[in-house]
Amino acid sequence: LMTAIILAENNKKDDIFTYSLKAKQQEPFTIDFNVQPIKVGDKFKASDAMDAMLLCSANDMAYMIAENSCGGFNNFIKKMKNI
């Protein structure tokens, strides 16, 4: 839920996120492994990424959100530590 809160506070619904190799390498449950294959470089709206993460507990979507929000993964982690 913290990932969803940070996403909602720092992004617009239509922001575009890019699916990375590191997102693809996350442990299942992932959308890529368990639902539908995703290619590295595929684009997602922030709202779709949030839906997938929350509805499916999708680790790959959570990682993609962290990489694409708040100026990058490290900044995302800093925000998470400050909640």
Side-chain angles (χ1 to χ4, degrees), residues 1-58:
L1 290 176
M2 288 175 55
T3 301
I5 292 168
I6 293 170
L7 173 62
E9 289 179 347
N10 291 280
N11 294 90
K12 297 177 184 164
K13 291 180 181 182
D14 291 332
D15 285 353
I16 301 297
F17 292 171
T18 304
Y19 195 81
S20 71
L21 179 59
K22 285 189 176 184
K24 191 172 188 72
Q25 294 171 335
Q26 296 306 299
E27 295 291 324
F29 193 94
T30 66
I31 299 298
D32 177 60
F33 182 79
N34 298 98
V35 179
Q36 174 181 338
I38 301 172
K39 295 178 186 171
V40 171
D42 280 356
K43 308 287 185 192
F44 292 85
K45 289 193 318 185
S47 60
D48 294 334
M50 182 184 285
D51 288 348
M53 180 189 65
L54 291 174
L55 294 173
C56 300
S57 296

Side-chain angles (χ1 to χ4, degrees), residues 64-81:
M64 181 183 68
I65 290 167
E67 286 183 313
N68 286 271
S69 185
C70 303
F73 187 83
N74 291 332
N75 288 336
F76 187 90
I77 298 304
K78 287 178 189 174
K79 285 234 182 218
M80 188 172 276
K81 289 180 179 180

